[in-house]
Amino acid sequence: MAVGPMIYDVICAGGGVGKEGDVLTRANPITNEYEENYRDIRKRYNCGTKAAKQVPINASSSRIVMATVHSTELPWHQGEQAFKRLLRTPEGRNPTSLFLSPGAAYMLQISPLIAIGTLDQANNPWTTVWGGEPGFSRPIGQTTIGVRTLIDRAYDPVMEALFAGNKEGGEIGKGGKMVGGLSILLERRLRMKLFGRMIGGKVGKDEEDEGIGEVQLAVRIEQSLGNCPKYLNSKIIYPALPEPKLISDSLPLPQQALDLVAKADMFFISSSNNLLDMDTNHRGGPPGFVRFLTNSVDSGTVFIYPEYSGNRLYQTLGNLHTTPRAGICFPDFDTGNVLYVTGSTEILAGEAAEKVLPRSNLAVKVTVTAARFVEKGLGFRGELGERSPYNPPVRYLPTEKASGSGSDSKSNTTATLIKREVITPTISRYRFRTADSSLEWKAGQHVALSFADELDMGYSHMRDDDPKSLNDDYLRTFTVSSPPPVGTSAAGNNGPAKGEFETTIRKVGAVTYFLSRQRVELALEVPLKGFGGEFAIEQEAGEHVAFVAGGIGITPLLAQLPTLDLSRFHLLWTIRTDDLNLANDLFTKHPNLPTSTRLFVTGTDRVSMDRRGDLLEKLSGVCPRVHKRRMLQEDVSDSTMESKDIHRWYICASPPLRGELLVWLKDKAVFYEDFEY
């Protein structure tokens, strides 16, 4: 991993500090940084035994060897557990990494923005957004990141809280100030959450404008987690010079601030679990999804926003449960204006949410206690791209609904179920016909379909008959498993025609169970919200590429097979015996694929073999490399692969397998699809 020059390199480790020309390997004491961080993770996330040091760096790059991944998981904290009980959600595993994961390190380097949250001296959370172009943030150690960018040094509340009036900076030792982060690439709808503790930093002063300056910040990362693209509206970000002017720092909010919130389609929010850790994330939706309840001297400034169905980790909500305070930043991507607020929060669930914000099953009410509205306080601007297909209509207050807001409007585009093929007891292929035959999509994309009209039975605080439906908007995305139609058909006479697409789905939840019970002759029609995603397999002339799939993770490949040169394509597919007919179906449709495939079959116990033994024997006759075991590291090594020059690796697998593969392929060009949301 290449790391560009920073004005200083901060490494918090017992063994020493990196210098120009250092190569960080296991022989260098600096590699103990992660091990030390891991041991301390349950001791309120302390830093290493020595304070951070500041060392000038002039080198253009350094090489860093990423640390070995530990398997121990971060436990859910009290607030997260309480919310999972409240919403009847199984706890499951916590996917948070206890280190700066390779994916997080990569995201830092390609993202033009990072939202940062911290607590001020009164423990009030604040959030800001820094950046403007990729490269301003980067890893500078195995668990350390550096940020260097131009900011508003006069009115930015996070800058003020981090440096506590000492803008010249300095060293902060063991147990530094908590910092939440969200590295975000809006153009591609990617985001990565970070949490750590500040090691050191400083804020310079511009000679011509004392209101701006270059901030340098080093943070030791203790948690990282990739998040889904849901409700992220695409934007192209470019840098701009901040020209901060304070418009208001009192309540109620001025009209300019209200106008900003009225058009905002996203904001950044920071929360804390007492003084143990922090979470900085985004909330998005259609413009106007945040509604003001009051904004006056007598009634105060109070707004509310809906909590849409998400990944059900409840990290922000869990924090708000234990520590009901939030710091929120509303950026104006058009003008560079920004509204900073901090305040107390109240989580509304079920009937309480429905009463205040109709059609919401979960909402957060924020009572603002302090605010700053700054004109041109941001160092970037943004050009709107595509809005998220997940965005539901704006949910209006009861007092607003009388105006005929149209909040119950439905999509004009629909998809009708016209065919269903059962492949295995739990996997089926569904074909839909769109009402608008001119709709187009690309191979590697997914389709967003809404089943709310069929499954939503109204809001309630609890629903014992179907607890998972609470907070469920019944909006689902499925990978399109058929190639985009060319002419009248995509794949011969039996393939989808123009305006038709297929999805191959495992039966795992309310929506997929509902689909599995549908009779095709009833012509189920559901709103189609759009196509999105871009998990495209690139194979240039002469290049070898590999695709690693786990079970149903084969679906992103299906639509792209016709465009691949299978003589230079390598499929490694791990599959359970119960799903063997999926492999049989795929090899039947693509008879040239088995020679490019290595099949790893698990669950080969006596009972399974009694049921599927004949099919496994058939597949072994078609596919020359069938292994009755799980995939191992040696299976992806250069010595095992037929070609030692695999240009790109693509992964679509379960989180545990994906985590192993990222370690095994740490020096390779790896791209993966994340289905953990």
Side-chain angles (χ1 to χ4, degrees):
M1 181 192 309
V3 179
M6 299 286 290
I7 197 165
Y8 58 80
D9 188 7
V10 182
I11 301 292
C12 184
V17 177
K19 301 182 293 298
E20 179 177 349
D22 271 358
V23 177
L24 308 184
T25 67
R26 289 195 177 277
N28 190 320
I30 212 168
T31 57
N32 291 328
E33 177 195 353
Y34 171 76
E35 299 295 337
E36 176 183 306
N37 189 61
Y38 181 80
R39 288 193 302 269
D40 290 345
I41 202 70
R42 298 181 187 278
K43 299 178 182 178
R44 295 187 62 183
Y45 309 104
N46 291 333
C47 287
T49 57
K50 291 186 179 181
K53 295 180 66 178
Q54 185 167 306
V55 180
I57 286 288
N58 296 315
S60 60
S61 67
S62 302
R63 284 186 289 161
I64 296 175
V65 178
M66 300 308 295
T68 301
V69 177
H70 282 263
S71 61
T72 300
E73 298 174 2
L74 184 71
W76 303 108
H77 70 62
Q78 181 181 1
E80 294 163 339
Q81 291 175 336
F83 244 86
K84 288 178 178 294
R85 288 194 299 269
L86 173 68
L87 300 179
R88 307 290 183 89
T89 302
E91 284 197 7
R93 62 184 291 274
N94 188 335
T96 303
S97 300
L98 301 180
F99 58 97
L100 180 66
S101 69
Y106 176 69
M107 269 292 296
L108 276 169
Q109 297 176 86
I110 66 171
S111 299
L113 297 177
I114 185 169
I116 293 181
T118 194
L119 304 181
D120 63 18
Q121 291 181 320
N123 292 331
N124 295 310
W126 292 91
T127 310
T128 189
V129 193
W130 292 348
E133 57 186 343
F136 79 98
S137 63
R138 64 190 67 189
I140 56 176
Q142 287 180 308
T143 61
T144 309
I145 69 168
V147 177
R148 180 185 182 187
T149 189
L150 200 63
I151 67 166
D152 163 20
R153 75 190 303 270
Y155 310 113
D156 187 320
V158 170
M159 184 282 304
E160 183 178 301
L162 286 175
F163 296 97
N166 180 19
K167 297 177 182 178
E168 298 308 313
E171 298 181 1
I172 296 181
K174 190 170 183 178
K177 185 174 280 291
M178 295 193 303
V179 177
L182 183 73
S183 181
I184 190 164
L185 179 55
L186 285 169
E187 185 173 357
R188 293 171 56 188
R189 296 193 181 105
L190 301 176
R191 56 179 168 144
M192 178 72 66
K193 292 202 301 182
L194 304 166
F195 165 70
R197 292 186 181 270
M198 179 178 173
I199 297 174
K202 61 185 294 186
V203 181
K205 185 186 298 183
D206 189 86
E207 295 180 356
E208 298 181 1
D209 186 351
E210 294 188 357
I212 62 176
E214 183 182 74
V215 65
Q216 299 181 31
L217 179 67
V219 179
R220 184 174 182 177
I221 298 302
E222 297 162 1
Q223 297 177 26
S224 60
L225 174 66
N227 269 200
C228 71
K230 240 179 178 182
Y231 317 120
L232 278 174
N233 300 301
S234 174
K235 291 179 175 63
I236 300 172
I237 303 298
Y238 54 92
L241 185 69
E243 301 176 56
K245 177 183 177 182
L246 182 64
I247 302 300
S248 172
D249 61 357
S250 61
L251 299 173
L253 295 173
Q255 186 60 45
Q256 289 172 275
L258 298 178
D259 292 342
L260 189 163
V261 175
K263 74 172 188 175
D265 61 6
M266 73 175 305
F267 63 77
F268 298 96
I269 180 171
S270 295
S271 58
S272 71
N273 175 27
N274 297 306
L275 300 180
L276 297 175
D277 65 12
M278 288 199 72
D279 180 274
T280 297
N281 211 333
H282 110 291
R283 291 295 184 267
F289 76 104
V290 178
R291 314 305 297 175
F292 273 92
L293 296 168
T294 63
N295 183 49
S296 67
V297 174
D298 295 334
S299 303
T301 299
V302 183
F303 63 82
I304 190 171
Y305 69 87
E307 280 283 344
Y308 301 136
S309 175
N311 56 20
R312 299 195 174 194
L313 301 183
Y314 305 125
Q315 291 175 320
T316 297
L317 292 173
N319 284 349
L320 298 182
H321 180 82
T322 64
T323 315
R325 295 191 298 270
I328 295 177
C329 170
F330 293 94
D332 188 329
F333 291 90
D334 298 325
T335 65
N337 297 347
V338 57
L339 173 64
Y340 305 104
V341 303
T342 188
S344 60
T345 61
E346 180 184 359
I347 301 171
L348 306 177
E351 293 180 1
E354 165 73 14
K355 183 177 180 180
V356 180
L357 193 63
R359 302 186 68 248
S360 296
N361 210 27
L362 200 60
V364 176
K365 186 167 67 172
V366 181
T367 300
V368 180
T369 56
R372 296 181 186 181
F373 180 63
V374 182
E375 184 179 276
K376 296 184 179 179
L378 301 177
F380 60 88
R381 301 291 186 271
E383 180 182 330
L384 179 64
E386 295 181 352
R387 298 206 184 275
S388 170
Y390 289 95
N391 290 342
V394 173
R395 298 172 182 177
Y396 293 86
L397 304 176
T399 54
E400 299 173 310
K401 201 159 186 178
S403 63
S405 62
S407 61
D408 293 318
S409 62
K410 299 181 180 180
S411 171
N412 291 325
T413 304
T414 60
T416 301
L417 179 64
I418 61 173
K419 186 177 181 180
R420 176 166 64 92
E421 298 175 75
V422 178
I423 301 174
T424 78
T426 61
I427 298 174
S428 296
R429 182 185 300 113
Y430 300 90
R431 184 178 298 181
F432 291 88
R433 178 181 295 124
T434 63
D436 182 358
S437 61
S438 65
L439 280 178
E440 296 182 352
W441 59 91
K442 297 180 293 185
Q445 288 193 311
H446 57 246
V447 60
L449 300 173
S450 174
F451 294 84
D453 292 345
E454 305 296 329
L455 296 175
D456 192 346
M457 296 181 290
Y459 299 105
S460 61
H461 181 62
M462 292 294 178
R463 186 172 295 150
D464 292 330
D465 61 322
D466 188 9
K468 289 187 177 181
S469 65
L470 192 65
N471 191 39
D472 195 339
D473 57 10
Y474 297 104
L475 185 65
R476 297 292 189 269
T477 57
F478 301 121
T479 300
V480 178
S481 56
S482 57
V486 177
T488 59
S489 177
N493 295 332
N494 295 322
K498 185 175 178 60
E500 297 177 358
F501 63 88
E502 291 179 342
T503 62
T504 304
I505 304 169
R506 186 185 296 279
K507 184 169 55 177
V508 293
V511 169
T512 50
Y513 271 90
F514 170 76
L515 268 176
S516 70
R517 296 192 299 266
Q518 290 303 299
R519 295 168 56 188
V520 174
E521 57 267 26
L522 296 180
L524 171 70
E525 185 177 22
V526 295
L528 190 157
K529 297 297 185 180
F531 295 90
E534 48 178 76
F535 193 50
I537 301 172
E538 297 180 11
Q539 186 186 46
E540 302 295 338
E543 288 185 348
H544 285 254
V545 297
F547 189 97
V548 185
I552 196 66
I554 195 72
T555 52
L557 172 65
L558 303 183
Q560 304 182 66
L561 276 173
T563 64
L564 297 174
D565 181 349
L566 296 183
S567 67
R568 293 181 286 106
F569 178 74
H570 308 265
L571 172 62
L572 292 85
W573 188 8
T574 177
I575 191 170
R576 291 187 57 81
T577 53
D578 288 345
D579 293 334
L580 281 176
N581 204 50
L582 179 62
N584 182 56
D585 178 83
L586 179 59
F587 292 161
T588 300
K589 291 179 178 295
H590 300 275
N592 294 327
L593 181 61
T595 57
S596 301
T597 302
R598 295 185 66 190
L599 200 62
F600 300 87
V601 183
T602 61
T604 54
D605 56 90
R606 180 181 298 179
V607 175
S608 298
M609 292 304 296
D610 286 344
R611 291 182 300 170
R612 302 283 186 267
D614 292 344
L615 185 54
L616 180 58
E617 184 177 350
K618 175 184 176 181
L619 288 173
S620 299
V622 174
C623 181
R625 291 166 299 179
V626 176
H627 309 278
K628 298 178 184 179
R629 59 172 174 84
R630 66 188 301 271
M631 192 181 302
L632 303 174
Q633 182 172 0
E634 62 190 42
D635 295 315
V636 298
S637 65
D638 290 342
S639 59
T640 303
M641 298 301 294
E642 292 178 345
S643 170
K644 296 185 179 181
D645 189 20
I646 302 293
H647 288 76
R648 281 175 291 276
W649 289 80
Y650 296 88
I651 301 173
C652 188
S654 66
L657 176 58
R658 186 182 69 228
E660 289 183 319
L661 287 164
L662 290 176
V663 175
W664 298 344
L665 301 170
K666 63 182 179 181
D667 298 322
K668 308 296 184 181
V670 178
F671 303 86
Y672 62 87
E673 183 71 292
D674 191 347
F675 289 109
E676 194 155 38
Y677 47 85

